[in-house]
């Protein structure tokens, strides 16, 4: 497992276990996560912000109303940035602040301002943990789907023995990884097309488009994390293959079609993110075309619509198409859903600074009797949201 492309907001509150969070920061970053640390005032009595700055490679935030930091990344932005908010150690006092919805320091404000999942690793004296007041607060948090991991039992820094020790960093890492590895598509085979195609004009020139492949690659990674076996059929892009993904490189639409049909009958789900060239030159010149005539006419032929062909199979997989549109997003997407007989379509606006070759995007997803909108965020986060929606719809059909 890994935490590649995951953004973790690591909250540190004031307990002696905070020294172990230094090791946790190392483990999280080594597993590939981007970590941003927020410390409460209490935490700084045990460990300095500089420790976490050195380990996370990012400035540490400690104050809610800090003009310098707010100018770089405001607290609302930081709350949205997080894929996961992990608080370790979480003291009894912090648990109480969260349960009562306070926003009187940066960390509690971030928790309140974020729609991201929250995971707490409590650490405190065993009597404080077992106290009814703490247990009542824990129950409130559990009801709100906040994950409480630990505490473990054993020797405590104060000399007591009992429940209240923070889980070991290695164990917290493992639980953070498990959080992203949902298993929602365990045992399923998913085929994804990604990137542009290249349609040769002559040995040195081709017709292509601006697709970067980023969305398809992010989906491949999210599908692996959901437990699927993933085949990625990709046009030429400048991206590394996500771990555990079988990658097949192609150039033309026809080569992409051939690669798709080789194993489509063994796929449970087909996601077409590739920006397949709609047309190709009738013939590719054998030699480089010389600059001679004033006008040069290229004759083009339509390419096969791979997605429509897959959806038209006798026993089609669950098919998901993409629709990049510059106008009338919903109307065009709905029309494509019907015309190509898809199970689902994910539409995204493309314009000068959105869509192709960007790291962020937004999606409007439609299926026969529903729709869901995912606001602008990283393609990695969007991919996880879309994969979880696909899993939900796949299992309900
Ligand atoms: O009709 P349009 O090209 O907008 O449809 C986009 C969807 O169809 C995308 O999912 C794309 O991957 C897929 N497609 C395809 N083969 C084509 C053209 C588009 O699979 N020749």
């Amino acid at each position: 497992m890994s935490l590649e492309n995951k953004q973790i907001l690591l909250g540190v509150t004031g307990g002696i276990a905070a020294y172990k969070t230094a090791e946790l920061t190392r483990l999280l970053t080594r597993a590939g996560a981007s970590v941003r640390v927020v410390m409460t005032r209490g935490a700084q009595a045990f460990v300095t912000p500089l420790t976490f700055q050195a380990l996370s490679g990012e400035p540490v935030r400690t104050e809610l109303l800090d003009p310098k930091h707010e100018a770089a990344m405001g607290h609302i932005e930081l709350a949205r940035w997080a894929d996961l908010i992990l608080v370790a150690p979480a003291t009894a006092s912090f648990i109480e602040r969260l349960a009562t919805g306070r926003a009187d320091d940066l960390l509690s404000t971030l928790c309140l301002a974020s729609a991201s999942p929250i995971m707490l690793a409590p650490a405190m004296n065993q009597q404080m943990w077992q106290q009814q007041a703490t247990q009542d607060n824990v129950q409130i948090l559990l009801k709100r789907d906040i994950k409480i991991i630990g505490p473990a039992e054993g020797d405590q820094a104060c000399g007591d023995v009992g429940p209240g020790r923070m889980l070991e960093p290695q164990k917290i890492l493992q639980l953070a990884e498990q959080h992203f590895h949902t298993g929602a598509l365990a045992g399923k085979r998913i085929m994804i097309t990604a990137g542009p195609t290249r349609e040769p004009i002559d040995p040195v020139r081709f017709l292509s488009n601006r697709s970067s492949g980023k969305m398809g690659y992010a989906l491949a990674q999210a599908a692996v994390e959901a437990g699927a076996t993933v085949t990625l059929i990709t046009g030429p892009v400048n991206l590394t293959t996500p771990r555990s993904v079988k990658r097949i490189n192609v150039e033309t639409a026809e080569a992409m079609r051939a690669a798709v049909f080789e194993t489509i009958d063994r796929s449970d789900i087909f996601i077409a993110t590739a920006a397949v060239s709609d047309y190709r030159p009738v013939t590719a010149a054998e030699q480089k075309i010389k600059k001679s005539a004033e006008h040069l006419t290229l004759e083009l032929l339509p390419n096969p619509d791979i997605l429509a062909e897959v959806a038209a199979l006798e026993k089609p997989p669950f098919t998901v198409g993409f629709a990049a549109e510059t106008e009338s997003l919903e109307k065009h997407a709905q029309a494509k859903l019907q015309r190509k007989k898809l199970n689902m379509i994910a539409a995204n606006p493309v314009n000068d600074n959105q869509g192709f070759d960007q790291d962020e995007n937004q999606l409007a997803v439609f299926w026969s009797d529903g729709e869901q909108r995912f606001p602008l965020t990283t393609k990695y986060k969007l991919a996880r949201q879309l994969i979880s929606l696909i899993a939900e719809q796949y299992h309900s059909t």
Side-chain angles (χ1 to χ4, degrees), residues 4-6 83 180 182 184-185 190 192 213-226 242 271 273 320 322 344 346 359-363 365 374-392:
E4 261 158 55
N5 307 315
K6 309 295 179 299
D83 293 324
F180 290 102
T182 61
L185 289 171
I190 302 195
I192 300 174
K214 284 176 185 164
M215 193 65 216
Y217 277 61
L219 280 164
Q221 186 186 336
V224 165
E225 288 168 4
I271 310 176
T273 65
V320 183
F322 266 72
M344 200 180 242
D359 292 330
E360 296 202 328
N361 207 347
Q362 55 178 303
L363 289 179
V365 189
F374 297 119
L376 189 69
T377 185
T378 66
K379 288 187 175 173
Y380 295 116
K381 197 166 190 166
L382 267 186
R384 287 194 291 275
Q385 290 170 324
L386 184 59
I387 285 291
S388 117
L389 180 62
I390 290 172
E392 222 175 271

Side-chain angles (χ1 to χ4, degrees), residues 93 96-105 107-109 112:
S93 159
E96 184 272 334
R97 292 215 295 286
L98 209 52
T100 49
R102 298 240 298 263
D104 49 5
D105 68 354
L107 189 56
S108 56
T109 304
L112 208 57

Side-chain angles (χ1 to χ4, degrees), residues 193 272-278 303-308 320-325 336 339-340:
T193 64
T273 65
V276 183
S277 203
D278 288 328
N303 265 328
D305 190 319
I306 305 168
L307 176 61
V320 183
F322 266 72
E325 304 291 349
K336 250 171 234 182
R339 179 162 42 85
K340 300 199 190 191

Side-chain angles (χ1 to χ4, degrees), residues 2-300:
S2 93
L3 287 171
E4 261 158 55
N5 307 315
K6 309 295 179 299
Q7 299 177 162
I8 298 185
L9 188 87
L10 181 58
V12 191
T13 70
I16 180 58
Y19 83 92
K20 291 193 179 177
T21 309
E23 174 63 10
L24 176 61
T25 310
R26 269 178 75 80
L27 292 176
L28 292 169
T29 51
R30 254 203 244 140
S34 305
V35 179
R36 286 178 185 258
V37 177
V38 171
M39 301 178 78
T40 61
R41 197 160 297 168
Q44 296 167 65
F46 292 91
V47 191
T48 68
L50 197 58
T51 306
F52 288 109
Q53 181 175 318
L55 294 170
S56 66
E58 295 287 345
V60 171
R61 301 277 307 253
T62 55
E63 299 299 327
L64 178 56
L65 304 171
D66 175 339
K68 192 178 100 224
H69 279 118
E70 285 294 308
M73 188 193 256
H75 63 277
I76 298 293
E77 216 180 318
L78 186 58
R80 284 201 198 116
W81 173 88
D83 293 324
L84 172 68
I85 298 181
L86 172 61
V87 182
T91 58
S93 159
F94 182 73
I95 287 172
E96 184 272 334
R97 292 215 295 286
L98 209 52
T100 49
R102 298 240 298 263
D104 49 5
D105 68 354
L106 179 60
L107 189 56
S108 56
T109 304
L110 287 169
C111 289
L112 208 57
S114 181
S116 304
I118 300 176
M119 193 182 262
L120 305 182
M124 66 197 73
N125 164 270
Q126 56 86 22
Q127 188 60 47
M128 288 171 80
W129 171 253
Q130 293 179 88
Q131 197 62 256
Q132 197 55 50
T134 306
Q135 287 304 310
D136 288 350
N137 288 330
V138 166
Q139 286 310 314
I140 291 173
L141 297 184
L142 288 173
K143 259 191 238 140
R144 292 184 201 150
D145 281 337
I146 289 179
K147 274 194 197 160
I148 312 270
I149 55 171
E153 298 228 4
D155 292 339
Q156 299 210 284
C158 53
D160 280 9
V161 179
R165 284 169 59 88
M166 187 172 87
L167 292 187
E168 290 305 321
Q170 191 65 45
K171 182 71 191 167
I172 298 178
L173 169 72
Q174 197 190 332
L175 293 169
E177 285 174 333
Q178 270 174 23
H179 167 82
F180 290 102
H181 291 71
T182 61
L185 289 171
K188 298 297 163 203
R189 283 162 302 192
I190 302 195
M191 184 186 282
I192 300 174
T193 64
T197 61
R198 281 182 183 172
E199 311 298 330
I201 295 170
D202 67 19
V204 295
R205 304 185 181 98
F206 51 78
L207 283 180
S208 194
N209 57 65
R210 290 180 192 279
S211 168
S212 64
K214 284 176 185 164
M215 193 65 216
Y217 277 61
L219 280 164
Q221 186 186 336
V224 165
E225 288 168 4
T229 306
V230 181
T231 304
L232 180 63
I233 299 175
T234 172
V237 295
N238 197 8
L239 299 170
T240 48
T241 315
R243 221 181 277 243
S244 306
V245 165
K246 182 179 173 199
R247 168 174 171 168
I248 299 170
N249 294 319
V250 295
E251 292 228 344
T252 62
E254 289 192 304
M256 183 172 277
R257 180 183 177 278
V260 165
F261 279 91
E262 196 138 305
T263 57
I264 194 66
D265 54 337
R266 278 169 268 153
S267 301
D268 301 298
I269 298 173
F270 178 65
I271 310 176
T273 65
V276 183
S277 203
D278 288 328
Y279 292 91
R280 66 174 185 277
V282 172
T283 50
E286 267 176 36
Q287 305 299 332
K288 185 178 169 198
I289 299 172
K290 296 279 176 233
K291 185 165 65 180
S292 51
E294 202 151 287
H295 294 280
L296 176 67
T297 307
L298 278 179
E299 199 183 339
L300 304 178

Side-chain angles (χ1 to χ4, degrees), residues 348-358 360-362 376:
N348 61 285
V350 281
N351 51 45
D352 286 350
N353 48 19
Q354 215 175 318
F356 284 170
D357 204 21
Q358 300 293 318
E360 296 202 328
N361 207 347
Q362 55 178 303
L376 189 69

